[in-house]
Each structure stands twice: as C-alpha cells, then as structure tokens.
C-alpha cells in the first residue's frame, strides 16, 4: 500500500466532493442520505459482481461457483478483475467522501485498511462484503435513530471494507494501488475542473 498514492487519491476526492452540492452543503440530511444511499449503491454493484461471477455459469460453460479462480480462463479472469477494480474504487471514493464531510478527516481510512491486512481473518470474499453492507446499515440506524457518533460507525465501515479489500487481493490479486489509480483516471475524465459532469450522465 502506497501512502503517497493514497494521499493523492484522498486529495482528488476532496477536490471533487467539495464542488458537488450533495456533499458541499450545510443540510445534514442531504449529506447523510447521499452517503448512505451511495454506499449501499456501490456495495450493491459489488454484490452484483459476486452474484454474476461467483455463483453463476457463463455462456462458455465456466461454473464460477465450482471452478477455482486459478482455473478460470484468462480472458474471463481479467474481465472479472477489472470489474472488481472499477466498483471497489467507487466504493472507496464514497467512503472517503463520507469521512471527509462527516468526520473532518479524523477517520484514517488508509490506516484502517492496513490494520485489516495485519489482522486478516479467515472469511470469504462474500462474507467480507456482506459484513460491510451490514456495517453501513448499522451506521444508518445508529446515527439516524440512536446517537450522532457517525465517526465510530464510519470506522466500522472502513474496517469491514478493508477486510474485503484484503480478500479481493487474496482472491484476484487486486491491489489497493490498482484500485486508486483506476478510480482517479476514471473520474479525471468524468468531471471538469468545476465539478460538472461531462459524460452526459447525471
């Protein structure tokens, strides 16, 4: 894990988020809804990849559920790998933004990811993702209905997603550096310098 690269990524996230109205607002409800819905959205995209590429059989007859990753045909493997890189980057972007706007940068996501690697536990890629989704739900219920300790809850999300990243590297050889570089390249051509989206999408 490259801390200089992560700091570059983090600054790119801040620069863009500060230009977008759902993040750069004094309306707490708007930010909170944007954060929770976006985290569920991006984690849902990853869940879709797990459904498609870890439980199904493709048109070429590869039974992903029963075929070890190392036996998946190379072209298919790289398609899967690139899709996970893309969606994981979006999830990290949202988590970094949420920590920026709610915790005033007090959540050290990078350090949480490092700790997840050091404290690696023996669970599946799927379980690591579903645990992350559960931690987002806890964030929602705790901060919406019980207390305002959003920082603690964001820590829990970062811990859970950090473990997912560990399992992603173990399973597909995907590194955090690859994910961050791809995301910066993708968003670098999606928005102009004023934060306006230029690809014709909302």
């Amino acid at each position: 894990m490259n801390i200089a690269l992560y700091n570059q990524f983090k600054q790119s996230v801040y620069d863009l988020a500060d230009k977008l109205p759902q993040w750069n607002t004094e309306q707490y409800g708007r930010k909170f809804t944007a954060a929770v819905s976006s985290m569920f959205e991006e984690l849902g995209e990853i869940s879709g990849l797990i459904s498609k590429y870890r439980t199904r059989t493709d048109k070429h007859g590869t039974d992903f559920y029963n075929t070890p990753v190392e036996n998946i045909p190379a072209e298919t493997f790289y398609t899967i790998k690139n899709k996970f890189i893309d969606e994981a980057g979006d999830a990290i972007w949202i988590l970094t933004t949420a920590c920026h706007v709610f915790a005033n940068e007090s959540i050290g996501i990078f350090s949480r990811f490092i700790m997840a690697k050091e404290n690696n536990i023996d669970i599946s890629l799927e379980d690591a993702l579903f645990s992350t989704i559960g931690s987002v739900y806890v964030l929602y219920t705790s901060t919406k209905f019980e207390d305002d300790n959003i920082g603690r809850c964001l820590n829990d999300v970062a811990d859970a997603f950090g473990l997912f990243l560990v399992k992603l590297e173990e399973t597909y050889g995907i590194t955090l550096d690859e994910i961050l570089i791809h995301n910066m390249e993708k968003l670098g051509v999606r928005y102009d310098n004023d934060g306006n989206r230029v690809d014709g999408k909302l």
Side-chain angles (χ1 to χ4, degrees), residues 32 36 40 135-145 153:
F32 184 78
V36 172
F40 278 132
S135 68
V136 175
Y137 180 73
V138 170
L139 180 151
Y140 166 71
T141 55
S142 294
T143 57
K144 186 74 173 180
F145 301 113
C153 293

Side-chain angles (χ1 to χ4, degrees), residues 77-191:
F77 173 84
Y78 285 110
T79 295
I80 295 169
K81 179 176 178 178
N82 289 331
K83 287 181 180 292
F84 272 111
I85 288 172
D86 188 50
E87 298 301 347
D90 290 343
I92 295 173
W93 195 97
I94 292 298
L95 180 55
T96 303
T97 299
C99 291
H100 172 51
V101 301
F102 290 112
N104 194 26
E105 306 177 31
S106 65
I107 306 298
I109 298 178
F110 188 80
S111 65
R112 311 303 294 194
F113 291 169
I114 291 175
M115 286 195 319
K117 196 162 191 174
E118 292 173 349
N119 301 324
N120 187 10
I121 60 175
D122 185 20
I123 66 171
S124 68
L125 178 72
E126 292 80 5
D127 285 346
L129 175 65
F130 301 152
S131 177
T132 306
I133 293 171
S135 68
V136 175
Y137 180 73
V138 170
L139 180 151
Y140 166 71
T141 55
S142 294
T143 57
K144 186 74 173 180
F145 301 113
E146 296 176 14
D147 59 53
D148 61 357
N149 196 348
I150 195 168
R152 183 196 70 238
C153 293
L154 285 169
N155 261 328
D156 292 343
V157 176
D159 289 341
F161 195 71
L163 184 56
F164 172 78
L165 293 175
V166 171
K167 299 305 171 182
L168 205 56
E169 184 171 5
E170 288 178 355
T171 307
Y172 295 106
I174 296 170
T175 67
L176 179 60
D177 290 2
E178 287 181 283
I179 295 170
L180 300 183
I181 289 169
H182 172 76
N183 189 262
M184 285 190 288
E185 290 175 348
K186 180 173 79 169
L187 296 187
V189 298
R190 181 176 289 178
Y191 294 89

Side-chain angles (χ1 to χ4, degrees), residues 38-63:
S38 296
M39 280 190 264
F40 278 132
E41 177 184 12
E42 300 306 340
L43 295 173
E45 295 281 358
I46 298 172
S47 188
L49 296 181
I50 285 178
S51 172
K52 185 172 184 178
Y53 295 115
R54 292 180 65 80
T55 69
R56 302 183 195 177
T57 300
D58 73 0
K59 63 183 179 181
H60 304 295
T62 302
D63 178 356

